[in-house]
Amino acid sequence: MSLDANTSVISVGDTYYAAMPSIDGLPGVRIYQSRDLEQWEYYTDIFTYQGERNESMNLGFFTPQLSYHDHQFYLIYSDPKSSTRPFPDCESYLIVADRLEGPWSEPICLHSNGLALGS
């Protein structure tokens, strides 16, 4: 696995987690784990069926931002509704879970005017 500019990496204890976006629909956001930032292995998927997300053109999820605070995981992601750049009709959401494996909260819409880029 190679990390790219759209990958979000966090550390929890002595483990690193990387959230990688899909660009072709499901699984949505794939999570990998590492203890040394060199060797990565698949850990879990967030969004494993179409019903867990808002309906779109199946463009995938963009710019996932994973974070961890007070024993909870937070994921902000963008869900584009068309392929027109610069994605002005892209909705961004927040979901929360106690564990990366879920269950995750219902998505909370943060805004609907472009990608939710890093924070």
Side-chain angles (χ1 to χ4, degrees), residues 44-107:
T44 192
D45 290 324
I46 300 174
F47 302 111
T48 55
Y49 68 93
Q50 189 69 26
E52 291 180 296
R53 59 182 287 196
N54 294 317
E55 295 301 317
S56 71
M57 296 180 59
N58 200 26
L59 297 172
F61 293 103
F62 292 5
T63 65
Q65 296 296 309
L66 185 64
S67 60
Y68 181 80
H69 178 71
D70 260 352
H71 307 286
Q72 287 195 307
F73 291 94
Y74 299 84
L75 181 74
I76 295 174
Y77 62 92
S78 297
D79 187 9
K81 303 302 178 200
S82 78
S83 59
T84 304
R85 293 182 185 265
F87 306 106
D89 56 351
C90 187
E91 295 179 344
S92 295
Y93 297 91
L94 167 69
I95 56 176
V96 181
D98 294 330
R99 301 175 36 217
L100 281 171
E101 303 85 1
W104 288 86
S105 68
E106 289 295 314

